């Protein structure tokens, strides 16, 4: 590539909160940058091999080994050919941004790859002309990408109804395939190469999938394997299924953690890892989204310089009464509340879905949250001094190469997987993700705390009560006599009235 762009620049753009602003920034770079060709696919008919070559006509060794492995695991040649075309796009992307896979957040990389694909033409060179890719001097963007934000995408469909056209040349399913192949390639590099064995893939979301094998087909039992959660990656890139709308919202069908499951998960977190304990305590207690959790602010300039040396009682009083943070203690409610707002600032990796500001009361242990928050603030103060970082985000990175910086989009996934890794219940908790704590919050408040669906909907940040009612249809109170919590029974009403009885 003749123009030099690097991961730090990519990360800064990808951190932009607004999806349109992010795409506009990418369009500006991709449309003006000069390149020295792209990777291309070569098919060797004699050996029946598919290989990928660099723009300078050198064999790209690792990607060709990846394709060779697919062939020798009985993957149909047409599938291998499709994977080759998908993979060369990922290699182009890595080269454009000069990405060193050992020095980056791989989740940021694959999420940004989605935006890259949305802007490209879907043209494909025929096999005998594939080398023409190596001669390109500019990225092949489609016309709507070049004019993004300047021309309306609203038009009439065949029935004469005004609709919004899809922005991309590639379909949602096609881009899903690109991302899946890219992630499989990263796994291959980590497992099969010595040079790249230290790639950190813990931030890439995964899910459990049941597959049928020859043996399982005979026994009737399906084999469960871990695969990349491509849908989560595309969602993080603010790329949704066509015609996605509230009308298509379906009742929650996935398994929901019980309070015992959540408590068992919390017990797996090492007692000395205060930040992770606080992070997941907040997720379960307030039901906020990952993007909302990593955007929580703490005004550090008001923190006393010797706070970490304070007596615990004095420190607790400061945290409850003087601390400026999105988490605050309401003395009328005698409870912690969490303020969630949409901030139009550069921030981590995905568009925050927060529509209206909301305050969420804590219905779990107030003292436990006080203790966790107090210890976290003390640790945060020491880390900020050590690393000389300056920002007001509540949560910070503990990784060696980014210690003290605000956490990124993959951090919460990585910490979840780190907590369950090696535990006896790893298979059970692999069914869930950090988002599962949001479902726990909603179902627990509806079924156990017996909170009004209207209140739960507001606390979740849904656009309307209908959305909440549809998703949690199976969890709405019925004729069954489930336990309720009388001790906090009137907290919602008091809170709704601004603290007035």
């Amino acid at each position: 590539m003749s123009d030099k762009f690097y991961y730090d620049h990519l990360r800064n753009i990808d951190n932009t909160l607004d999806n349109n602003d992010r795409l506009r920034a990418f369009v500006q770079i991709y449309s003006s940058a000069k390149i020295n060709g792209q990777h291309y696919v070569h098919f060797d008919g004699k050996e029946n091999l598919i290989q990928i070559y660099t723009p300078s006509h050198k064999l790209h060794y690792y990607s060709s080994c990846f394709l060779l492995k697919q062939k020798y695991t009985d993957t149909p040649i047409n599938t291998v050919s499709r994977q080759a075309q998908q993979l060369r796009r990922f290699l182009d992307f890595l080269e454009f941004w000069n990405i060193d896979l050992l020095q980056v957040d791989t989740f940021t990389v694959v999420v940004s790859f989605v935006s890259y694909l949305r802007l490209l033409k879907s043209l494909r060179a025929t096999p005998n002309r594939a080398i023409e890719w190596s001669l390109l001097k500019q990225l092949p963007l489609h016309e709507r990408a070049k004019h993004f934000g300047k021309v309306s995408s609203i038009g009439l469909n065949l029935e004469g109804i005004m609709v919004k056209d899809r922005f991309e040349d590639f379909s949602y399913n096609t881009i899903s395939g690109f991302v899946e192949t890219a992630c499989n390639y990263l796994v291959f590099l980590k497992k099969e190469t010595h040079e790249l064995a230290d790639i950190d893939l813990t931030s890439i979301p995964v899910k459990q999938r049941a597959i049928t094998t020859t043996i399982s087909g005979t026994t009737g039992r399906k084999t469960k394997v871990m695969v990349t959660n491509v849908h989560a990656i595309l969602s993080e890139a603010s790329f949704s299924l066509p015609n996605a709308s509230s009308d298509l919202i379906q009742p929650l069908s996935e398994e929901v953690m019980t309070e015992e499951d959540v408590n068992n998960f919390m017990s797996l977190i090492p007692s000395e890892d205060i930040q992770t304990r606080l992070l997941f305590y907040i997720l379960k207690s307030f039901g906020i989204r990952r993007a909302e959790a990593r955007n929580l602010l703490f005004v550090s300039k008001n923190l006393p310089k010797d706070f970490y040396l304070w007596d615990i009682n004095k420190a607790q009083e400061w945290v409850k009464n003087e601390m400026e943070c999105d988490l605050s203690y309401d003395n009328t409610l005698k409870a912690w509340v969490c303020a969630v707002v949409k901030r139009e600032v550069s921030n981590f990796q995905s568009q925050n879905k927060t529509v209206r500001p909301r305050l969420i009361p804590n219905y779990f242990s107030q003292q436990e949250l006080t203790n966790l928050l107090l210890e976290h603030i003390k640790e945060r103060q020491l880390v900020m001094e050590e690393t000389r970082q300056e920002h007001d985000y509540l949560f910070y990175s503990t990784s060696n190469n980014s210690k003290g910086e605000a956490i990124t989009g993959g951090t919460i996934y990585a910490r979840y997987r780190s907590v369950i890794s090696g535990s006896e219940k790893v298979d059970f908790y692999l069914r869930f993700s950090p988002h599962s704590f949001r479902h726990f919050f909603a179902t627990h408040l509806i079924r156990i705390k017996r909170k009004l669906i209207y209140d739960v909907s507001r606390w979740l940040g849904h656009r309307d009560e209908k959305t909440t009612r549809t998703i949690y249809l199976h969890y709405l109170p019925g004729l069954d006599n489930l336990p309720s919590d009388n001790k906090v029974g009137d907290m919602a009403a008091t809170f709704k009235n601004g603290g007035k009885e």
Side-chain angles (χ1 to χ4, degrees):
M1 302 290 175
S2 55
D3 288 349
K4 290 290 185 180
F5 296 96
Y6 296 92
Y7 170 73
D8 286 345
H9 193 184
L10 171 71
R11 184 178 61 177
N12 289 336
I13 296 175
D14 192 57
N15 285 347
T16 303
L17 188 63
D18 184 79
N19 181 45
N20 289 336
D21 289 345
R22 182 166 59 246
L23 284 175
R24 270 191 286 268
F26 280 131
V27 167
Q28 186 175 3
I29 289 176
Y30 292 144
S31 60
S32 60
K34 300 298 181 182
I35 63 174
N36 291 321
Q38 293 187 304
H39 293 76
Y40 62 93
V41 175
H42 173 70
F43 176 68
D44 186 336
K46 292 183 179 180
E47 301 293 333
N48 200 30
L49 294 177
I50 297 175
Q51 300 165 318
I52 296 180
Y53 281 81
T54 68
S56 57
H57 313 303
K58 295 180 180 178
L59 178 70
H60 194 281
Y61 180 73
Y62 284 149
S63 63
S64 297
C65 288
F66 171 79
L67 297 172
L68 189 63
K69 181 179 179 181
Q70 308 310 304
K71 175 187 175 183
Y72 286 113
T73 54
D74 297 326
T75 302
I77 193 65
N78 288 340
T79 300
V80 177
S81 176
R82 183 176 67 252
Q83 291 177 338
Q85 296 294 341
Q86 294 169 336
L87 185 53
R88 73 172 181 83
R89 297 285 200 186
F90 186 55
L91 298 177
D92 290 336
F93 174 76
L94 296 179
E95 183 170 341
F96 184 95
W97 291 101
N98 292 280
I99 289 176
D100 179 351
L101 289 171
L102 294 174
Q103 301 295 326
V104 299
D105 175 8
T106 49
F107 188 59
T108 297
V109 171
V110 293
V111 169
S112 300
F113 181 49
V114 175
S115 297
Y116 176 81
L117 294 170
R118 295 180 68 187
L119 302 173
L120 291 183
K121 276 185 180 180
S122 60
L123 296 178
R124 176 177 170 180
T126 54
N128 61 334
R129 300 176 60 192
I131 199 170
E132 291 182 5
W133 289 110
S134 68
L135 304 176
L136 289 176
K137 297 302 179 185
Q138 204 162 13
L139 288 181
L141 305 186
H142 60 70
E143 290 302 314
R144 290 187 301 283
K146 296 176 183 177
H147 299 93
F148 182 75
K150 301 176 183 178
V151 180
S152 173
S153 59
I154 303 294
L156 296 176
N157 66 8
L158 295 176
E159 289 77 32
I161 300 174
M162 296 292 289
V163 296
K164 186 174 182 179
D165 293 336
R166 293 300 291 177
F167 174 79
E168 304 78 19
D169 265 15
F170 293 114
S171 70
Y172 181 92
N173 289 335
T174 299
I175 290 181
S176 297
F178 277 99
V179 174
E180 183 174 14
T181 295
C183 290
N184 289 341
Y185 176 63
L186 293 176
V187 172
F188 168 82
L189 293 178
K190 183 174 182 64
K191 291 184 175 180
E192 305 292 342
T193 72
H194 176 73
E195 180 184 357
L196 297 169
D198 291 331
I199 293 178
D200 184 3
L201 302 182
T202 56
S203 63
I204 295 181
V206 296
K207 64 180 180 180
Q208 214 171 43
R209 177 185 292 172
I211 62 172
T212 301
T213 63
T214 304
I215 297 177
S216 65
T218 303
T219 61
R221 296 180 179 178
K222 291 188 176 182
T223 300
K224 293 182 178 180
V225 297
M226 298 309 302
V227 297
T228 301
N229 190 339
V230 175
H231 173 72
I233 294 172
L234 269 61
S235 295
E236 199 75 10
S238 300
F239 184 40
S240 59
L241 279 166
N243 302 321
S245 70
S246 59
D247 293 336
L248 300 178
I249 292 174
Q250 299 294 323
L252 182 66
S253 58
E254 63 189 75
E255 186 178 359
V256 176
M257 283 193 282
T258 65
E259 187 169 17
E260 181 181 4
D261 296 332
V262 170
N263 290 338
N264 286 338
F265 171 85
M266 296 296 292
S267 71
L268 296 176
I269 304 174
S271 58
E272 66 274 11
D273 190 354
I274 300 297
Q275 181 174 199
T276 300
R277 294 183 69 82
L278 175 63
L279 175 60
F280 284 99
Y281 197 90
I282 288 173
L283 291 182
K284 81 145 189 179
S285 299
F286 299 108
I288 58 179
R289 304 176 179 96
R290 287 186 302 115
E292 295 166 343
R294 65 175 178 257
N295 289 340
L296 290 176
L297 292 187
F298 165 76
V299 182
S300 55
K301 68 178 181 180
N302 295 332
L303 183 66
K305 292 184 178 180
D306 59 345
F307 182 74
Y308 59 90
L309 298 174
W310 280 19
D311 168 80
I312 185 170
N313 293 322
K314 180 182 177 182
Q316 283 189 2
E317 284 300 311
W318 186 91
V319 167
K320 283 186 173 183
N321 299 312
E322 299 183 48
M323 178 183 69
E324 293 184 48
C325 181
D326 285 338
L327 294 173
S328 61
Y329 189 78
D330 189 304
N331 282 295
T332 301
L333 296 176
K334 301 300 179 185
W336 285 95
V337 296
C338 180
V340 181
V341 297
K342 183 171 184 176
R343 295 187 169 95
E344 298 296 339
V345 295
S346 294
N347 215 288
F348 311 98
Q349 291 172 337
S350 73
Q351 184 177 1
N352 192 318
K353 293 183 180 179
T354 304
V355 178
R356 292 182 293 272
R358 63 192 196 273
L359 284 173
I360 312 165
N362 174 35
Y363 284 99
F364 296 88
S365 170
Q366 310 300 337
Q367 188 59 52
E368 186 172 2
L369 181 52
T370 301
N371 295 340
L372 287 172
L373 190 56
L374 172 58
E375 293 303 314
H376 173 70
I377 296 302
K378 288 183 177 181
E379 284 189 357
R380 185 186 185 283
Q381 184 177 33
L382 293 172
V383 171
M384 293 297 108
E385 289 182 1
E386 175 193 346
T387 60
R388 298 183 179 180
Q389 292 285 338
E390 294 184 4
H391 63 78
D392 281 341
Y393 290 102
L394 181 62
F395 296 111
Y396 58 87
S397 172
T398 56
S399 300
N400 290 332
N401 60 348
S402 60
K403 189 173 182 180
E405 296 179 9
I407 61 174
T408 64
T411 302
I412 299 178
Y413 270 113
R415 291 190 184 177
Y416 179 83
R417 292 175 63 184
S418 176
V419 168
I420 65 176
S421 178
S423 74
E424 294 181 355
K425 294 190 175 183
V426 61
D427 290 338
F428 173 78
Y429 284 109
L430 280 173
R431 305 176 196 171
F432 305 102
S433 72
H435 195 75
S436 300
F437 291 85
R438 180 171 168 83
H439 294 317
F440 163 76
F441 168 84
T443 56
H444 188 77
L445 262 59
I446 292 171
R447 296 281 277 182
I448 306 301
K449 302 294 186 183
R450 293 302 185 106
K451 297 303 157 195
L452 296 176
I453 194 71
Y454 170 78
D455 290 322
V456 176
S457 182
R458 284 191 303 112
W459 295 333
L460 289 171
H462 287 163
R463 289 184 180 273
D464 54 54
E465 182 182 331
K466 178 183 175 182
T467 299
T468 313
R469 188 176 295 277
T470 301
I471 294 174
Y472 299 106
L473 177 66
H474 305 311
Y475 297 89
L476 298 177
L479 298 177
D480 53 336
N481 186 24
L482 290 173
S484 60
D485 187 348
N486 294 324
K487 187 166 61 175
V488 293
D490 63 344
M491 186 185 290
T494 305
F495 187 79
K496 195 188 310 182
N497 293 325
K500 298 178 181 179
E501 296 290 353

